[in-house]
Amino acid sequence: MKTTVAAIDFGTSKIVTLVAENSGSQRCDIVGAGIAAYDGYLEEGWNNPGELDEKIRQSISEAEKQSHRKLREINVGVPGAFTRVYATEARVSLKGPDPRVSASDVKAIFRAATENLGSLPGIVVHSSPAWFMVDDGKKTLEPVGMKGRELSALISFVVANQFFVDEVNNRLAALGITANGFYSTPAGEAMLYLPEEDRDRTAVLIDIGYLNTEVMAVEGDALIFHKTIEIGGGNIAADLAIGLDIPLKEAEEKIKRQYVYGIGAAGETYDLPGVDGQKPRSFTRDEVTEIITARVDEIAEEIQAAIDDSGIKLGNWSNIYLTGGGLSFNRGGKDYLSNKLGRPVRDVPKRTTKMNSHAYSSTLGLMDLIIDTIEQQHQPSAGFGGAVKDFFRSLLGG
């Protein structure tokens, strides 16, 4: 039986609505996509609130047209700029003459972690464990059935800004659409694109978008750190437009997107045709490089500062991955960033055959998280010998 799932993702330059089918033969088949460019947001709110209703309508309408479905409900991704991540350790005693971790103990430790969190402004949209530990044993994500006296865990919570939730609820309602649920876009993206073996060693995902850069760290199945840096690929294009005195569109399309990081060819130039009565112009690689690298160096410094200030310990085997349209599309961009961070930076693995561009990483991660949550909520809980990761996802709704 096919299940139709719709999701809307608010990026810093575009709103993307996806409609997917989930069936036994195919977990996620995208049957419709609607993309509407808009002015995005910063942490303070929307850059152009007046355009938002129409852009949401455009995005949803195109997805409906492609999928041949009328959407009445939609799942909403909450961008990183409108969330905060809190990771807290909790402990519970195991009771009985032969104490072993049970399903109720897992529930109890999540309740204890929630109590540790206290009263915070906003809405918890995601919770997941980085690890469990019985007594002083090894960290694990499969504690059920283990024998000991105490269960401890590191639990991560993603809390959404009430402003964003209310805003989107009201704007969707005006279109006759119900927000079926709110999900953490960074959590979905990180879980989809960071391989499980890397997450076990703590891994970092960097998403350089148009107006901001997101730094996400994951341990186990939990997003344990997230920071939004309000600089992105659009700032590089703006710097070129100002520094070279050219239109922003030409700076973006003719120079920024074409630029190759690293050693360029001797005498390489960037040629702009004359438009609107203007004479053709040409810029040397040195002129362009000076502007571009100054901004990318700043982004790299902010990323490094975020990692340093996070308190996260990255070992020699911890990997960093790069996605987003701000730098990933440029040949040599990943290697340039790697050199600045002093650590290898990898491309994220491709997870889908449709929309597998770096520009859609957040949207695909969001859809994967939604489908994963729906699947686990409809699966029976695993027993002591079952898949415990599936068990607690089913128990806690993702």
Side-chain angles (χ1 to χ4, degrees), residues 193-229:
Y193 288 104
L194 292 178
E196 185 174 349
E197 59 271 21
D198 286 327
R199 290 190 263 124
D200 288 341
R201 299 186 291 258
T202 306
V204 173
L205 177 64
I206 299 167
D207 185 333
I208 301 179
Y210 192 71
L211 293 181
N212 65 32
T213 294
E214 297 189 54
V215 182
M216 296 158 270
V218 172
E219 183 177 359
D221 276 6
L223 181 68
I224 59 173
F225 172 80
H226 174 273
K227 182 170 183 179
T228 299
I229 301 165

Side-chain angles (χ1 to χ4, degrees), residues 63-334:
E64 289 178 327
K65 180 180 177 181
Q66 290 186 17
S67 65
H68 305 289
R69 290 163 176 80
K70 184 66 177 177
L71 300 181
R72 298 300 183 189
E73 295 181 347
I74 197 165
N75 299 284
V76 181
V78 185
F82 297 106
T83 64
R84 292 291 181 270
V85 174
Y86 301 89
T88 180
E89 285 194 40
R91 300 174 184 275
V92 295
S93 296
L94 304 177
K95 297 179 173 57
D98 182 31
R100 295 177 183 273
V101 179
S102 67
S104 54
D105 293 319
V106 175
K107 289 181 180 179
I109 205 162
F110 267 82
R111 286 196 300 270
T114 302
E115 290 172 3
N116 289 347
L117 198 64
S119 178
L120 293 170
I123 299 171
V124 175
V125 292
H126 187 79
S127 60
S128 53
W131 48 260
F132 296 96
M133 185 186 299
V134 177
D135 295 336
D136 294 321
K138 293 183 178 180
K139 293 178 180 178
T140 180
L141 283 172
E142 300 184 356
V144 175
M146 295 180 67
K147 184 177 180 178
R149 291 291 177 183
E150 183 181 65
L151 175 66
S152 58
L154 177 64
I155 309 294
S156 167
F157 297 88
V158 182
V159 180
N161 186 313
Q162 189 72 51
F163 159 80
F164 178 87
V165 172
D166 291 343
E167 269 279 290
V168 175
N169 256 327
N170 293 335
R171 290 177 185 274
L172 288 174
L175 296 174
I177 296 174
T178 300
N180 197 41
F182 287 82
Y183 294 79
S184 167
T185 299
E189 183 179 13
M191 290 301 109
L192 178 62
Y193 288 104
L194 292 178
E196 185 174 349
E197 59 271 21
D198 286 327
R199 290 190 263 124
D200 288 341
R201 299 186 291 258
T202 306
V204 173
L205 177 64
I206 299 167
D207 185 333
I208 301 179
Y210 192 71
L211 293 181
N212 65 32
T213 294
E214 297 189 54
V215 182
M216 296 158 270
V218 172
E219 183 177 359
D221 276 6
L223 181 68
I224 59 173
F225 172 80
H226 174 273
K227 182 170 183 179
T228 299
I229 301 165
E230 293 189 338
I231 312 172
N235 296 91
I236 301 172
D239 290 347
L240 287 166
I242 295 170
L244 302 177
D245 191 22
I246 58 176
L248 179 62
K249 184 177 180 180
E250 291 192 354
E252 174 73 35
E253 297 178 356
K254 303 295 184 182
I255 300 181
K256 177 190 173 293
R257 293 182 186 176
Q258 309 301 323
Y259 185 79
V260 177
Y261 291 82
I263 301 174
E268 180 181 8
T269 60
Y270 294 84
D271 302 316
L272 273 59
V275 292
D276 297 330
Q278 299 290 324
K279 293 182 179 179
R281 300 183 65 183
S282 181
F283 303 98
T284 67
R285 177 177 173 83
D286 287 344
E287 289 177 301
V288 169
T289 296
E290 182 180 5
I291 296 171
I292 288 180
T293 56
R295 181 63 79 173
V296 177
D297 289 353
E298 181 186 5
I299 294 173
E301 289 171 5
E302 292 288 342
I303 292 170
Q304 187 63 65
I307 294 173
D308 291 344
D309 295 342
S310 69
I312 296 164
K313 296 179 181 178
L314 297 181
N316 293 332
W317 298 103
S318 297
N319 288 319
I320 296 177
Y321 288 82
L322 175 67
T323 190
L327 190 62
S328 296
F329 292 146
N330 294 87
R331 190 152 54 94
K334 172 176 62 67

